[in-house]
Amino acid sequence: MIDNLDYSEDKTYISPKDLFNQILSKASSIFKNKEVLLNDYIPNEIHFRNKEMTQLTTALSPILLGNNSVNVFIFGFSGTGKTLVTRKVVNDLLEIGKQNNDNISCIIMNCRLDNINTEYRLITNLAKIFGAKLPDTGLSLAKVYDKFFDSLNMNNKKDLKLVLVLDEIDYLILKDPLFLYNLSRIKEKYDKLYLSLVGISNILNLKSRIEPKVISSLNPVEIVFSSYSADEIKGILEERVKLAFNEGVVAEGVVSKIAAISAQEHGDVRRAINLLRLSGELAQRKGESHISLEDVDLAYKESEKNIIEETIHTLAPQSKLVLLAILNIIEKKKSDTIFSGEIYDEYIKLANKFGYRELTFRRVSDLIYELDYNSLIRIQLKSRGRYGRSREVGLGFSKEVVPRLEDIIKNDLNKNL
Ligand SMILES: Nc1ncnc2c1ncn2[C@@H]1O[C@H](COP(=O)(O)OP(=O)(O)O)[C@@H](O)[C@H]1O
Ligand SMILES: [Mg+2]
């Protein structure tokens, strides 16, 4: 940043204080209010989600109309406004409920971030929120349910309508698929509770992972959040630009470019806003007074690298083993793609080497698809002449980073992450 400032010996003296001020004023010439570019910022108005907002509002309205429970599943790719819209609708529901003297409570949990990966953890957390004192382990699930109901009894004279929002519910469902069944029948255990579940998922085909009897018991309303178009992303970004940056810092071309990049990545507004912030930070570091298209390019490359590393850290150990097997084979063969049939043997070797249980061929196959879903690899169906068809697996990132990623994975596996 100081590169552009005059601090060379042969010029007139400049005091540290003046230099600090120069640096500060350069820095502040880019951002007006960077906070509005952070992930948890809630915009005043939500545009381009009218359909979804209306669907969710309508779906939840029976809760206000009587002692009713409703269940809703929300699906959509990441960054399509699911969390934002749900928070807004639920807030308004609570407000109207209060005006009507309705006993409505709402709890929002993020299963991935709050590490809720079993029914036990879920109910323990709920009980604690309602004031129960519980040891972290040692109780049976039935006992934890009892504690939860006791805590509800203490806190509520009337029947309680509880809206439970489980964000990133895939995380919990993939690990403990039966908890939904118990939740759907909770009324049989405690008849003063009207539980409505709102499950939010990034995985579009999540329902195929849930048993039909559970689905029919929940009978959820399903709402799909479509991906934003480039124009819609542009509209959302322009709103943020006005709040976040000083005038003249962000040229129109910059917003269009970021919107176009994001639209290609299934309209992920979170990444678009991130890229806008990173581009601004880069321009600031370089001591520029506005963001250039090159800044966007550079910031994009940088963020790609970080996202890949972050994604890898969040994978389960078994998925890490599968990815490491793929990376090893690609390194060994010095080729860009491999056949999926080659992966299993290498995976078994690695599972033994790092001391993990061996999964079946089928499960490993599922994990390969999940890696594709996370954009870490790309699967293509290829014809192999008379040998029939085979799946070809390539990388979702450039080959240069393979050695570094191998190190990261090995490190995590040794630490049992
Ligand atoms: N229609 C919109 N208007 C303004 N900001 C939005 C809109 N949709 C999403 N965002 C912003 O994009 C980011 C991602 O949205 P979020 O609701 O967290 O996505 P999801 O839960 O679908 O992954 C958040 O910072 C959110 O404020
Ligand atoms: Mg979300």
Side-chain angles (χ1 to χ4, degrees):
M1 180 203 307
I2 28 185
D3 291 352
N4 283 14
L5 299 169
D6 241 341
Y7 60 94
S8 45
E9 299 259 331
D10 48 350
K11 294 277 163 59
T12 36
Y13 170 79
I14 176 167
S15 72
K17 193 164 144 197
D18 286 347
L19 187 53
F20 276 136
N21 275 327
Q22 272 191 33
I23 293 171
L24 264 183
S25 73
K26 279 251 177 212
S28 62
S29 69
I30 293 272
F31 291 106
K32 182 161 70 183
N33 179 8
K34 208 161 105 177
E35 237 127 82
V36 304
L37 298 177
L38 297 181
N39 235 334
D40 48 6
Y41 170 77
I42 298 187
N44 276 339
E45 284 182 18
I46 303 173
H47 298 288
F48 313 115
R49 289 286 86 148
N50 273 344
K51 186 179 97 220
E52 292 80 359
M53 203 140 46
T54 308
Q55 283 176 332
L56 183 57
T57 305
T58 318
L60 295 180
S61 57
I63 298 174
L64 290 171
L65 298 171
N67 276 344
N68 296 309
S69 297
V70 296
N71 296 307
V72 183
F73 272 170
I74 294 174
F75 301 102
F77 286 123
S78 61
T80 52
K82 300 183 299 296
T83 300
L84 178 68
V85 166
T86 305
R87 282 181 184 270
K88 172 78 182 148
V89 172
V90 165
N91 268 344
D92 286 5
L93 172 78
L94 284 180
E95 218 170 275
I96 303 277
K98 218 183 209 166
Q99 285 169 16
N100 291 350
N101 242 340
D102 236 343
N103 191 21
I104 305 182
S105 273
C106 172
I107 290 172
I108 302 180
M109 296 182 184
N110 183 306
C111 300
R112 185 174 57 84
L113 299 177
D114 301 334
N115 198 17
I116 296 173
N117 51 11
T118 57
E119 181 176 8
Y120 189 92
R121 285 193 83 118
L122 173 68
I123 305 301
T124 310
N125 278 21
L126 280 176
K128 282 185 180 165
I129 289 170
F130 283 94
K133 301 249 178 312
L134 284 178
D136 276 332
T137 51
L139 296 182
S140 66
L141 183 60
K143 195 92 198 139
V144 174
Y145 264 106
D146 285 344
K147 294 269 184 192
F148 172 44
F149 298 143
D150 287 348
S151 64
L152 290 182
N153 250 338
M154 302 266 288
N155 285 292
N156 295 280
K157 302 285 163 277
K158 295 201 276 183
D159 289 353
L160 171 68
K161 302 178 190 179
L162 177 62
V163 181
L164 175 62
V165 178
L166 294 180
D167 205 344
E168 307 204 38
I169 195 173
D170 1 315
Y171 191 79
L172 177 50
I173 288 182
L174 294 179
K175 298 202 165 136
D176 193 355
L178 277 178
F179 84 97
L180 282 173
Y181 191 62
N182 288 342
L183 279 197
S184 71
R185 307 178 63 127
I186 208 161
K187 195 128 204 337
E188 292 167 17
K189 293 190 198 157
Y190 186 79
D191 66 354
K192 283 163 65 189
L193 175 64
Y194 293 83
L195 179 72
S196 295
L197 173 74
V198 180
I200 305 178
S201 162
N202 286 338
I203 300 182
L204 303 184
N205 67 352
L206 186 74
K207 251 177 73 181
S208 67
R209 312 273 185 139
I210 307 172
E211 277 188 49
K213 77 161 182 184
V214 179
I215 296 281
S216 70
S217 168
L218 276 173
N219 192 22
V221 177
E222 292 174 41
I223 301 175
V224 176
F225 277 53
S226 53
S227 299
Y228 290 116
S229 67
D231 277 344
E232 289 171 336
I233 298 175
K234 211 173 145 196
I236 295 170
L237 289 179
E238 274 161 1
E239 285 296 308
R240 295 286 171 108
V241 164
K242 277 189 231 151
L243 301 168
F245 294 94
N246 285 312
E247 256 189 78
V249 170
V250 185
E252 148 123 29
V254 165
V255 171
S256 303
K257 184 173 179 133
I258 294 177
I261 293 175
S262 306
Q264 279 170 16
E265 293 170 354
H266 48 245
D268 187 333
V269 177
R270 182 181 299 107
R271 285 188 69 180
I273 295 174
N274 261 338
L275 186 52
L276 186 61
R277 179 177 52 80
L278 291 171
S279 307
E281 285 171 353
L282 193 74
Q284 185 177 77
R285 276 207 304 276
K286 286 164 59 183
E288 297 166 346
S289 57
H290 67 278
I291 301 177
S292 66
L293 292 178
E294 293 78 72
D295 292 336
V296 177
D297 272 330
L298 276 175
Y300 177 70
K301 286 205 183 104
E302 182 73 7
S303 71
E304 271 290 88
K305 197 176 118 235
N306 291 341
I307 286 168
I308 292 165
E309 290 181 15
E310 255 168 51
T311 312
I312 288 180
H313 282 308
T314 60
L315 293 176
Q318 290 286 359
S319 299
K320 284 180 183 152
L321 285 170
V322 175
L323 180 59
L324 186 58
I326 295 169
L327 296 181
N328 282 355
I329 302 172
I330 284 189
E331 278 272 278
K332 248 183 259 167
K333 288 182 58 178
K334 306 232 176 302
S335 92
D336 286 335
T337 56
I338 60 175
F339 287 110
S340 65
E342 301 173 89
I343 300 170
Y344 192 66
D345 284 347
E346 179 72 18
Y347 157 81
I348 292 288
K349 269 191 227 151
L350 291 172
N352 288 317
K353 179 171 163 203
F354 286 93
Y356 285 89
R357 194 162 54 88
E358 293 176 11
L359 297 183
T360 60
F361 187 81
R362 240 214 89 149
R363 262 308 279 154
V364 170
S365 219
D366 279 354
L367 294 182
I368 295 173
Y369 271 109
E370 269 179 42
L371 292 175
D372 183 29
Y373 171 79
N374 283 318
S375 306
L376 290 169
I377 61 169
R378 298 191 206 294
I379 302 176
Q380 268 191 321
L381 216 51
K382 280 276 159 78
S383 165
R384 297 179 80 187
R386 62 198 178 96
Y387 299 107
R389 289 193 305 175
S390 164
R391 290 182 300 162
E392 221 176 76
V393 175
L395 296 177
F397 41 81
S398 88
K399 242 166 84 177
E400 296 152 39
V401 290
V402 168
R404 179 167 162 66
L405 297 181
E406 282 178 326
D407 285 345
I408 290 176
I409 298 174
K410 285 180 197 157
N411 220 341
D412 278 4
L413 286 170
N414 281 328
K415 280 191 284 185
N416 264 320
L417 285 176

